[in-house]
Amino acid sequence: MAFFGMGIRSGLYIFIMRQFFRNMPKELEEAALIDGCGNFKTFTHVMLPNVKPAIVTVLVFSVVWYWNDFYQSSMFLMDKQTLSVSLTMLNGLLDITANSAGNITSQDLMLLRDGVLECGCILVMLPLLVMYIILQKQFTESIERTGIVG
Protein backbone atom coordinates (compact mmCIF):
# COMPACT_ATOMS: atom_id res chain seq x y z
CA MET A 1 0.00 0.00 0.00
CA ALA A 2 2.85 2.39 0.75
CA PHE A 3 4.52 1.80 -2.62
CA PHE A 4 1.40 2.73 -4.59
CA GLY A 5 0.46 5.68 -2.36
CA MET A 6 -2.82 4.22 -1.22
CA GLY A 7 -4.42 5.37 1.97
CA ILE A 8 -5.34 8.52 3.78
CA ARG A 9 -1.79 9.88 3.82
CA SER A 10 -1.39 9.99 0.03
CA GLY A 11 -3.00 13.44 -0.07
CA LEU A 12 -0.07 14.87 1.87
CA TYR A 13 2.41 13.15 -0.44
CA ILE A 14 0.67 14.57 -3.51
CA PHE A 15 0.62 18.03 -1.93
CA ILE A 16 4.36 17.91 -1.17
CA MET A 17 5.21 16.84 -4.72
CA ARG A 18 2.84 19.42 -6.24
CA GLN A 19 4.31 22.26 -4.24
CA PHE A 20 7.82 21.19 -5.13
CA PHE A 21 7.05 21.06 -8.87
CA ARG A 22 5.19 24.40 -8.71
CA ASN A 23 8.24 26.11 -7.24
CA MET A 24 10.59 24.81 -9.93
CA PRO A 25 11.47 27.41 -12.58
CA LYS A 26 9.63 27.03 -15.88
CA GLU A 27 12.84 27.97 -17.70
CA LEU A 28 14.36 24.55 -16.91
CA GLU A 29 11.61 22.80 -18.81
CA GLU A 30 11.72 25.29 -21.67
CA ALA A 31 15.50 24.99 -22.00
CA ALA A 32 15.26 21.21 -22.17
CA LEU A 33 12.57 21.41 -24.84
CA ILE A 34 14.71 23.83 -26.89
CA ASP A 35 17.68 21.46 -26.59
CA GLY A 36 15.60 18.72 -28.22
CA CYS A 37 14.33 16.72 -25.26
CA GLY A 38 10.84 15.33 -25.45
CA ASN A 39 8.39 15.49 -22.58
CA PHE A 40 9.45 12.17 -21.07
CA LYS A 41 13.18 12.88 -21.39
CA THR A 42 12.68 16.34 -19.89
CA PHE A 43 10.88 14.77 -16.95
CA THR A 44 13.44 12.00 -16.36
CA HIS A 45 16.66 13.94 -17.05
CA VAL A 46 15.81 17.44 -15.84
CA MET A 47 12.90 17.38 -13.41
CA LEU A 48 13.48 14.15 -11.46
CA PRO A 49 17.09 14.94 -10.47
CA ASN A 50 15.91 18.30 -9.12
CA VAL A 51 13.02 16.77 -7.18
CA LYS A 52 15.12 14.29 -5.15
CA PRO A 53 14.61 16.18 -1.86
CA ALA A 54 10.82 15.96 -2.23
CA ILE A 55 11.05 12.25 -2.99
CA VAL A 56 13.23 11.78 0.10
CA THR A 57 10.69 13.68 2.22
CA VAL A 58 7.82 11.55 0.98
CA LEU A 59 9.94 8.45 1.59
CA VAL A 60 10.76 9.51 5.17
CA PHE A 61 7.13 10.32 5.98
CA SER A 62 5.92 7.06 4.46
CA VAL A 63 8.49 4.90 6.23
CA VAL A 64 7.86 6.55 9.60
CA TRP A 65 4.08 6.25 9.33
CA TYR A 66 4.15 2.63 8.20
CA TRP A 67 6.86 1.78 10.74
CA ASN A 68 4.70 3.08 13.59
CA ASP A 69 1.44 1.70 12.20
CA PHE A 70 -0.05 -0.79 14.62
CA TYR A 71 -3.50 -1.47 13.23
CA GLN A 72 -2.73 -2.57 9.67
CA SER A 73 0.36 -4.53 10.61
CA SER A 74 -1.51 -6.49 13.27
CA MET A 75 -4.44 -7.03 10.90
CA PHE A 76 -2.58 -8.09 7.74
CA LEU A 77 0.40 -9.89 9.24
CA MET A 78 -1.25 -12.48 11.43
CA ASP A 79 1.62 -15.00 11.48
CA LYS A 80 4.44 -12.45 11.63
CA GLN A 81 4.80 -9.57 14.02
CA THR A 82 6.28 -6.14 13.53
CA LEU A 83 8.36 -4.49 16.22
CA SER A 84 5.54 -2.31 17.52
CA VAL A 85 3.22 -5.31 17.88
CA SER A 86 6.01 -7.31 19.57
CA LEU A 87 6.67 -4.43 21.97
CA THR A 88 3.00 -4.36 22.97
CA MET A 89 3.03 -8.12 23.48
CA LEU A 90 6.21 -7.79 25.55
CA ASN A 91 4.43 -5.30 27.80
CA GLY A 92 1.62 -7.79 28.40
CA LEU A 93 4.10 -10.62 28.98
CA LEU A 94 6.00 -8.57 31.54
CA ASP A 95 2.74 -7.76 33.34
CA ILE A 96 1.91 -11.48 33.56
CA THR A 97 5.43 -12.23 34.81
CA ALA A 98 5.17 -9.50 37.44
CA ASN A 99 1.93 -10.97 38.77
CA SER A 100 3.26 -14.53 39.01
CA ALA A 101 6.74 -13.84 40.45
CA GLY A 102 7.44 -15.50 43.75
CA ASN A 103 10.34 -14.14 45.81
CA ILE A 104 11.06 -10.89 43.93
CA THR A 105 9.45 -7.72 45.24
CA SER A 106 6.97 -5.90 43.06
CA GLN A 107 9.10 -2.74 43.10
CA ASP A 108 12.07 -4.64 41.62
CA LEU A 109 9.83 -6.13 38.95
CA MET A 110 8.46 -2.71 38.03
CA LEU A 111 12.00 -1.32 37.66
CA LEU A 112 12.96 -4.29 35.52
CA ARG A 113 9.78 -4.00 33.45
CA ASP A 114 10.28 -0.28 32.82
CA GLY A 115 13.91 -0.77 31.84
CA VAL A 116 13.10 -3.56 29.39
CA LEU A 117 10.28 -1.55 27.79
CA GLU A 118 12.45 1.58 27.48
CA CYS A 119 15.20 -0.46 25.86
CA GLY A 120 12.66 -1.95 23.47
CA CYS A 121 11.37 1.52 22.56
CA ILE A 122 14.89 2.73 21.81
CA LEU A 123 15.52 -0.31 19.61
CA VAL A 124 12.28 0.33 17.72
CA MET A 125 13.19 4.00 17.15
CA LEU A 126 16.85 3.43 16.26
CA PRO A 127 16.41 2.56 12.53
CA LEU A 128 14.24 5.66 12.02
CA LEU A 129 16.80 7.88 13.73
CA VAL A 130 19.62 6.47 11.59
CA MET A 131 17.53 6.98 8.44
CA TYR A 132 16.75 10.57 9.39
CA ILE A 133 20.40 11.36 10.18
CA ILE A 134 21.46 10.03 6.79
CA LEU A 135 18.69 11.84 4.86
CA GLN A 136 18.56 15.01 6.97
CA LYS A 137 19.98 17.37 4.33
CA GLN A 138 17.49 16.39 1.64
CA PHE A 139 14.60 16.33 4.12
CA THR A 140 15.18 19.86 5.43
CA GLU A 141 15.80 21.19 1.92
CA SER A 142 12.50 19.79 0.72
CA ILE A 143 10.54 21.15 3.66
CA GLU A 144 12.13 24.53 3.05
CA ARG A 145 11.35 24.55 -0.69
CA THR A 146 7.77 23.28 -0.45
CA GLY A 147 6.78 25.86 2.15
CA ILE A 148 5.34 23.45 4.70
CA VAL A 149 5.30 25.09 8.11
CA GLY A 150 4.12 23.70 11.38
Side-chain angles (χ1 to χ4, degrees), residues 20-21 24 28 41-55 138 141 145:
F20 207 87
F21 276 111
M24 289 185 68
L28 285 174
K41 195 171 183 181
T42 300
F43 180 72
T44 58
H45 287 75
V46 177
M47 295 300 199
L48 276 183
N50 288 321
V51 82
K52 280 182 188 175
I55 293 171
Q138 289 88 3
E141 180 182 334
R145 288 185 68 186

Side-chain angles (χ1 to χ4, degrees), residues 97-99 101-114:
T97 306
N99 292 334
N103 58 358
I104 301 174
T105 64
S106 62
Q107 185 178 11
D108 292 338
L109 282 175
M110 290 301 289
L111 288 174
L112 176 68
R113 177 181 163 262
D114 290 344

Side-chain angles (χ1 to χ4, degrees), residues 57-123:
T57 300
V58 168
L59 174 84
V60 167
F61 282 158
S62 180
V63 167
V64 167
W65 274 329
Y66 279 100
W67 185 269
N68 292 331
D69 191 22
F70 182 83
Y71 177 70
Q72 286 183 347
S73 60
S74 62
M75 183 173 60
F76 293 133
L77 302 173
M78 294 177 196
D79 297 337
K80 300 175 181 77
Q81 295 174 356
T82 61
L83 291 175
S84 61
V85 175
S86 298
L87 194 61
T88 304
M89 292 180 69
L90 177 67
N91 186 18
L93 183 65
L94 289 174
D95 283 340
I96 292 170
T97 306
N99 292 334
S100 64
N103 58 358
I104 301 174
T105 64
S106 62
Q107 185 178 11
D108 292 338
L109 282 175
M110 290 301 289
L111 288 174
L112 176 68
R113 177 181 163 262
D114 290 344
V116 168
L117 287 177
E118 289 168 3
C119 181
C121 288
I122 288 174
L123 289 176

